[in-house]
Amino acid sequence: MEKIEHTTVHTNGINMHVASIGTGPVVLFLHGFPELWYSWRHQLLYLSSRGYRAIAPDLRGYGDTDAPPSVTSYTAFHIVGDLVGLVDKLGIEQVFLVGHDWGAIIAWYFCMFRPDRVKALVNTSVAFYPRNPARKPEPGKVEEEFAQIDTAKLVKRFLSSRSPKPPCIPKETGYRDRPDPPALPSWLSEEDVNYYAAKFSQKGFTGGLNYYRCLNLTWELAAPWTGAQINVPVKFIVGDLDLTYHIPGIKEYIHNGGFKKDVPLLQEVVVMEGVAHFLNQEKPEEVSEHIYDFINKF
């Protein structure tokens, strides 16, 4: 881990913290909520040892990257703009892209807006959702109570969740009264939790939550891309206990041809048995191998 370099790059009007290691073709990793570059720590080491330059930024609003105060500064257009600016600044023509959770959503948009900059995509957890011109996404109301809960406890609850059902938070009692996980899973150490907790204690969760708050604005601005396909080679990986895999209609969409229609260069779909949402940390070796096996073809 101490070999990972940390730099700050000015891009698209913000300062972005970037972790990187290795030399060779570039793999750009995009984290989700509530995460950081750190979620890709295992993959950075694995791919750098196999001849790749692995790069994982803290996305806008997270960790040591700037968090603009305006809620409307967190659309997919802003985030993709940050990333295009980042690869421009680093003098990189094309990248292999890897995404998870919100990072997966951003990766789909990146490929839609700038397929010329992506050699291939390995996306995890969140399948591509084609834009429905008749229906806004309507994000759920986010409770503003995270600030009242110990950050380390909150991180443990998020990362330890293994229920394929979406979290149901009673309005009256809210998130505070949810039980703590009985113990940390084997793949998550106290040191890991403390790293996340320290960064979120400094920054708060507002930046990450603003991605949800901007869902409608992104939907409005993306109108010109209605019906657009993803035209880069893709491998998709999901855990069978991931709550995203249990959204009504998703399994049918992924396995019965809808996904392939919208993502014509979809080459592989991997469903990992007994694996939950944070698959890149829960099964680091397997996920790293899946990434390597795919990008190594190009």
Side-chain angles (χ1 to χ4, degrees):
M1 286 283 281
E2 62 283 350
K3 291 186 179 151
I4 294 172
E5 288 175 32
H6 295 271
T7 53
T8 300
V9 176
H10 189 74
T11 169
N12 194 27
I14 65 167
N15 290 311
M16 179 173 257
H17 165 244
V18 181
S20 64
I21 183 170
T23 54
V26 173
V27 189
L28 180 61
F29 292 92
L30 309 180
H31 69 78
F33 176 89
E35 300 180 79
L36 301 162
W37 74 270
Y38 189 82
S39 297
W40 297 109
R41 59 198 178 280
H42 306 293
Q43 287 74 31
L44 290 179
L45 298 176
Y46 184 101
L47 284 151
S48 64
S49 72
R50 281 159 182 78
Y52 289 89
R53 182 179 177 191
I55 299 177
D58 282 335
L59 296 180
R60 172 183 290 239
Y62 286 93
D64 295 318
T65 292
D66 287 352
S70 168
V71 172
T72 55
S73 297
Y74 291 82
T75 68
F77 293 85
H78 290 88
I79 318 301
V80 174
D82 298 343
L83 297 167
V84 171
L86 170 66
V87 294
D88 283 348
K89 269 279 170 73
L90 298 177
I92 299 162
E93 195 57 44
Q94 280 194 315
V95 297
F96 291 110
L97 204 52
V98 181
H100 171 254
D101 186 79
W102 258 104
I105 296 171
I106 298 303
W108 293 123
Y109 278 112
F110 193 132
C111 293
M112 197 188 288
F113 299 154
R114 295 303 303 270
D116 56 308
R117 305 302 295 270
V118 183
K119 284 186 209 167
L121 166 67
V122 178
N123 233 357
T124 71
S125 182
V126 182
F128 178 66
Y129 297 124
R131 182 183 185 276
N132 180 346
R135 202 172 88 232
K136 284 191 175 188
E138 294 305 339
K141 185 175 178 294
V142 176
E143 308 305 327
E144 294 291 358
E145 53 171 329
F146 286 175
Q148 298 164 31
I149 310 172
D150 175 70
T151 310
K153 273 191 180 175
L154 202 57
V155 168
K156 283 181 191 177
R157 284 182 203 173
F158 272 116
L159 297 183
S160 302
S161 170
R162 297 193 65 73
S163 170
K165 295 176 185 157
C168 178
I169 303 166
K171 273 226 168 104
E172 307 72 49
T173 55
Y175 214 89
R176 273 169 298 178
D177 291 357
R178 293 191 77 197
D180 288 341
L184 284 181
S186 59
W187 51 267
L188 191 66
S189 69
E190 287 291 345
E191 188 188 355
D192 297 332
V193 169
N194 292 339
Y195 186 86
Y196 286 110
K199 297 298 178 187
F200 281 105
S201 294
Q202 285 168 10
K203 204 71 149 209
F205 290 90
T206 306
L209 293 173
N210 283 343
Y211 286 56
Y212 294 91
R213 296 187 179 107
C214 277
L215 275 167
N216 281 345
L217 184 53
T218 291
W219 176 85
E220 288 173 16
L221 295 171
W225 285 270
T226 303
Q229 294 176 315
I230 300 294
N231 283 308
V232 305
V234 173
K235 177 175 187 169
F236 181 70
I237 311 168
V238 66
D240 68 352
L241 297 180
D242 193 326
L243 56 88
T244 62
Y245 191 55
H246 292 266
I247 294 168
I250 281 293
K251 286 182 192 172
E252 295 73 18
Y253 173 72
I254 290 173
H255 299 293
N256 296 351
F259 196 17
K260 178 74 174 166
K261 184 171 151 291
D262 294 325
V263 186
L265 302 179
L266 178 67
Q267 295 185 14
E268 289 178 63
V269 172
V270 177
V271 180
M272 298 179 73
E273 265 182 59
V275 178
H277 183 64
F278 297 96
L279 72 182
N280 49 335
Q281 298 181 78
E282 185 181 336
K283 296 285 182 193
E285 192 81 9
E286 276 178 62
V287 169
S288 297
E289 282 169 13
H290 276 306
I291 296 166
Y292 176 72
D293 289 347
F294 188 63
I295 67 177
N296 197 31
K297 297 176 181 176
F298 297 92

